[in-house]
């Protein structure tokens, strides 16, 4: 059995549309059924939040008067909430996250608001969460930990914000189950791991498809406006980099998504200039470097060591497709005008957007 193809992941993929809910419900089921799993969760919480009480039971989708419905609520033996867990894959934050849940936590004893997400989303998620908390007056301290487990404390109360990756949590639960020789819990955790891995893969594919559609339409518009030319140039890529080749204001370039750069910089979309344009190229990459100045980055080669890489800004989460396309087109046109101030470089099509 592989983690990517468990029975539960197969059923979830075929018959369940709300797979984030399926994953969190499965997590709640495991925690409620298994004392070993609850101990592993308690150990994680206690490492990050000294003096927090052990988790005795959990409830899924527990609503409150404000309309907030945290994915998993964790209670001690006396029925007091110790932690609220929010599970994420690709979905954006809701308006309740994190402030409604943060305010729901008692402020007079150690508690935690836990966000569970893929490891490559944690840093960006941390920035969004702390920014929202600070915007309504909460004072957040320095972060502790990195990569798979990050904690930030409220400086005015013993509440803690914890971000942990799905893999880290499931690894810790599995380790505890193995130590206790609890084969049933190990099996159930592997079933859940299969769902999370499947969701990672499909989340990447969905995001890639959306961005590839964005690249295609943005380049079509830039071509109609006379700044880009994609005739006889292909789509393609190398490794984690996928997009489309183009001539931008006479310079050979590649507009695409790079997952490695995305994880490291939270910038998914890059315009990469290189020296392989051949006879159709009018402006060499070395000249582009000078014209664009500090806008590009020579220290982050995405494909070849001599690439000149320019990150494109993406509109904030929630922007519609038209806003995203218009933003990318505007940035391409701005860069093109720096390369060829006398442009548009190519014929402008009548009625171009």
């Amino acid at each position: 059995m592989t983690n990517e193809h468990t029975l539960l992941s197969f059923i979830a993929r075929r018959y369940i549309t709300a797979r984030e809910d399926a994953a969190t419900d499965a997590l709640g089921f495991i925690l409620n059924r298994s004392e070993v799993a609850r101990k592993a969760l308690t150990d994680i919480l206690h490492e990050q939040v000294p003096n927090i009480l052990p988790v005795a039971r959990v409830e899924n989708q527990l609503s409150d008067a404000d309309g907030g419905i945290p994915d998993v609520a964790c209670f001690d033996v006396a029925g007091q909430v110790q932690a609220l867990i929010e599970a994420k894959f690709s979905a954006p934050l809701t308006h309740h996250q994190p402030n409604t849940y943060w305010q729901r936590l008692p402020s007079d004893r150690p508690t935690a608001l836990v966000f569970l997400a893929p490891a490559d989303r944690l840093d960006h998620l941390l920035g969004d969460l702390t920014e929202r908390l600070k915007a309504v007056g909460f004072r957040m301290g320095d972060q502790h930990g990195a990569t798979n487990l990050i904690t930030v404390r409220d400086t005015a109360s013993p509440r803690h914000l914890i971000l942990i990756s799905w893999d880290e949590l499931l690894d810790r639960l599995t380790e505890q189950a193995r130590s206790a020789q609890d084969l049933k819990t190990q099996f159930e955790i592997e079933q859940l791991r299969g769902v999370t891995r499947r969701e990672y893969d499909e989340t990447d594919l969905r995001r890639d498809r959306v961005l590839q559609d964005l690249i295609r339409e943005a380049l079509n518009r830039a071509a109609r406006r006379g700044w880009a030319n994609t005739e006889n140039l292909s789509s393609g890529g190398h490794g984690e980099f996928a997009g489309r080749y183009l001539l931008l204001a006479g310079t050979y370039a590649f507009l695409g998504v790079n997952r490695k750069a995305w994880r490291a910089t939270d910038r998914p979309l890059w315009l990469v200039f290189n020296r392989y344009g051949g006879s159709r190229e009018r402006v060499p990459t070395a000249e582009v470097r000078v014209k664009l100045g500090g806008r590009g980055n020579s220290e982050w080669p995405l494909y070849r060591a001599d690439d000149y890489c320019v990150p494109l800004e993406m509109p904030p989460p929630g922007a519609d497709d038209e806003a995203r396309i218009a933003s990318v087109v505007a940035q391409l046109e701005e860069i093109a005008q720096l390369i060829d101030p006398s442009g548009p470089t190519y014929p402008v099509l009548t009625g171009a957007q």
Side-chain angles (χ1 to χ4, degrees):
M1 178 182 69
T2 65
N3 291 333
E4 292 80 6
H5 300 287
T6 62
L7 175 62
L8 182 56
S9 72
F10 174 78
I11 296 298
R13 179 171 58 89
R14 289 287 298 272
Y15 301 108
I16 301 173
T17 55
R19 289 197 291 273
E20 285 192 359
D21 291 342
T24 52
D25 283 352
L27 175 63
F29 173 86
I30 292 170
L31 291 171
N32 263 330
R33 195 201 62 77
S34 171
E35 183 179 351
V36 167
R38 292 195 299 276
K39 183 181 186 308
L41 177 60
T42 295
D43 289 347
I44 294 170
L45 293 174
H46 192 263
E47 289 171 9
Q48 308 303 313
V49 186
N51 301 316
I52 195 169
L53 295 177
V55 175
R57 66 178 178 87
V58 306
E59 290 189 28
N60 288 78
Q61 304 289 318
L62 186 66
S63 62
D64 62 12
D66 294 326
I69 308 176
D71 291 328
V72 180
C74 304
F75 301 91
D76 64 17
V77 69
Q80 298 183 108
V81 66
Q82 299 301 312
L84 301 175
I85 301 176
E86 276 298 303
K88 290 290 181 189
F89 289 102
S90 60
L93 294 173
T94 71
H95 69 279
H96 287 290
Q97 298 167 347
N99 297 351
T100 299
Y101 302 144
W102 189 254
Q103 292 169 328
R104 184 172 173 178
L105 288 173
S107 60
D108 59 349
R109 56 184 174 81
T111 52
L113 176 58
V114 181
F115 277 81
L116 184 58
D120 61 5
R121 192 180 175 189
L122 293 187
D123 284 339
H124 181 60
L125 193 58
L126 174 66
D128 286 347
L129 293 169
T130 54
E131 185 176 313
R132 289 189 179 197
L133 288 168
K134 290 176 181 178
V136 294
F138 292 107
R139 299 192 299 276
M140 306 303 293
D142 295 333
Q143 75 176 65
H144 300 279
T147 309
N148 288 316
L149 182 56
I150 306 169
T151 301
V152 181
R153 179 178 173 174
D154 178 1
T155 61
S157 80
R159 287 177 291 204
H160 291 69
L161 176 66
I162 299 174
L163 288 84
I164 184 170
S165 72
W166 277 99
D167 283 343
E168 178 72 15
L169 175 65
L170 297 181
D171 286 349
R172 297 283 287 271
L173 266 60
T174 298
E175 181 181 352
Q176 192 75 37
R178 284 176 179 163
S179 296
Q181 298 183 351
D182 185 340
L183 297 179
K184 185 175 183 180
T185 297
Q186 289 181 59
F187 174 78
E188 290 170 350
I189 293 168
E190 288 307 301
Q191 293 290 309
L192 174 55
R193 194 190 298 273
V195 175
T196 65
R197 291 288 174 82
R198 174 71 70 177
E199 189 63 22
Y200 290 174
D201 293 344
E202 295 196 2
T203 292
D204 285 342
L205 289 172
R206 285 194 298 270
R207 290 188 302 190
D208 281 356
R209 281 196 293 268
V210 169
L211 286 168
Q212 292 305 318
D213 289 345
L214 168 63
I215 290 167
R216 187 181 306 108
E217 179 58 26
L219 288 181
N220 285 341
R221 293 191 188 184
R224 291 197 295 269
R225 293 168 67 88
W227 291 107
N229 186 336
T230 59
E231 292 180 7
N232 300 319
L233 295 173
S234 65
S235 299
H238 179 75
E240 292 190 315
F241 199 47
R244 185 169 181 81
Y245 295 96
L246 70 145
L247 288 166
L248 183 70
T251 301
Y252 190 66
F254 191 98
L255 178 62
V257 180
N258 185 276
R259 289 185 182 174
K260 182 179 179 181
W262 195 348
R263 290 191 293 268
T265 68
D266 203 37
R267 303 278 186 89
L269 204 57
W270 292 75
L271 183 64
V272 180
F273 296 95
N274 58 53
R275 58 182 177 83
Y276 295 92
S279 61
R280 297 179 64 187
E281 185 173 61
R282 303 179 190 176
V283 184
T285 302
E287 188 175 332
V288 171
R289 292 174 185 267
V290 175
K291 289 176 179 286
L292 298 189
R295 181 160 189 159
N297 184 353
S298 302
E299 299 176 359
W300 186 262
L302 300 183
Y303 192 12
R304 302 178 179 89
D306 55 354
D307 287 345
Y308 188 59
C309 308
V310 180
L312 299 188
E313 299 294 336
M314 296 294 290
D320 61 23
D321 290 344
E322 179 57 35
R324 285 192 288 268
I325 294 167
S327 174
V328 172
V329 172
Q331 291 174 77
L332 290 174
E333 185 167 332
E334 180 185 355
I335 293 168
Q337 287 175 330
L338 291 173
I339 297 171
D340 182 5
S342 64
T345 310
Y346 310 102
V348 176
L349 300 179
T350 304
Q353 290 180 281

